[in-house]
Amino acid sequence: MAMAKAKDSKRLTTATALSSMCLILFPLIYVLLSPLDISPLDISRFDHWKQISNWSGSGGDGASLSGSNIEHERMEDEDYSLKFLLRRLVQGRDRTELDTTGFTCKSDLVTDICVANQLVRLDTHWHRTRSLMVYLSSNNSTQPRTVRPYARKNDAAAMKLVRPVEIQTLTLHTATATATAIEGQKQQLLACDVTHDVPAVVFSSGGYTRNLFHDFNDIILPLFITCRQFQSRLKFIVTDYKPLWVKKYHQILSHLSDYEIINPVRDQRIHCFPAAVIGLNYHDNLACNAKDLPFGYSTMDFKRFLHDAFNLKFISLDIIQNQKPLLILFSRQKSRRFLNEDEMVKVADELGFRVIVALPNRTSNIAEFAKEVNSCSVMVGAHGAGLTNAVFLPAGAVLVQVVPLGLEWLSNTYYGKTFTPIGVRYLGYRIRPEESSLLDVYGSDHPVITDPQSLYRKGYSVARAVYLDEQDLKPTPLRFRETLEEALRLL
């Protein structure tokens, strides 16, 4: 009897020990087997597990590591994680160069982006030069680079509005110098007024800003693509700093960085960072492609991010109940105006819509207007930057783009194909010659009416002056009603 109890006790002790080992090993196995590129959060999964499990960093003999060793390992983990995140911004030869030399630049038709995973020195003394100077501390010689950190490289007019950033390598005389002398040179060359423990991200708020499409397409979306993975542990250096622009998008910028933004023109100090990104990744017009660098982000992820940044309540139209559907009609005041706006409002009202006519002063406060759009069922507007507000529409809503004469390609490229990935349905209302003010100006036989491509062959500026700047619109009430009825069916 006693022997049986002893055996049962031994089995119980063994089972308890095995269970304890499983509880310890399972999270580690889970972390090690999980793919790293699925989500930006995966990179901190092990650190997170250590925190929630009170991991003490014990050695193999069970003795806890000293406080200094724990801090040393934590710093090494952070350094490894930072380098991992920086590697995700480039691939192929660029990634190999970054690993080998600590610096690389990726270039395509639209944008340049340079990445340094080494100590960098940013000289913001603009009285010396009109450029922001970035100095690398590597012993490897790197050719000087000039980067304009704005996603519009193929547009000469935009890039004239963007100041350059000069990237150079600090020269160390290492041929005969001792290690102590080399270290002294580095300290002298890298004398810092301010030293930061998070990486720098340098971008420009110049270019075509003050236009909502370009604000989102050229800056905000590339910022999200490039910076979201850093989980707000980075610091923005904004060249061509525009206070009103920064204030307008404060809620977005503060959701990407926990730190105060540096304005190089006013700061006038030397800043040192453990790493830097100069320029931003860009995918496509108002789009995130999950298969482009850094992998994994989609346009729907961007929409969720905006909902979080602006604290938007509604996610789907299914949540909006017991109300007449809301229709927002964008009212333009200069070009591409609706000449029969009152008739359009009347048609919408007769179909049972609550109508908001969005004048420019109503849309200027993006945070407040985003809340209105987020409870909207149908948005109607002529081709133009205001349609970018469709990023705030709830899933299941309908965007009706009124496509002016001669602007079919632009309308389809920038908006027609853009919003389906975020759950917004799209209808295009194509203006006929008799619905365009250009018919009265040029007559029915003029190439402006009969052959718009002939104007584009003379240059985009020629076509723009006519179709974008000179044209007003007068949708036929019957055709407009049919389009809104189709929108109701989609709802």
Side-chain angles (χ1 to χ4, degrees), residues 129-146:
T129 172
R130 300 303 295 171
S131 302
L132 175 66
M133 301 299 298
V134 177
Y135 294 102
L136 308 175
S137 60
S138 174
N139 292 334
N140 297 300
S141 179
T142 301
Q143 291 295 322
R145 294 290 299 258
T146 300

Side-chain angles (χ1 to χ4, degrees), residues 353 398 425 427 481-491:
F353 286 101
V398 179
R425 291 156 179 164
L427 292 174
R481 175 184 289 272
E482 291 172 349
T483 300
L484 292 190
E485 287 173 344
E486 177 62 20
L488 282 171
R489 285 192 289 271
L490 291 176
L491 292 177

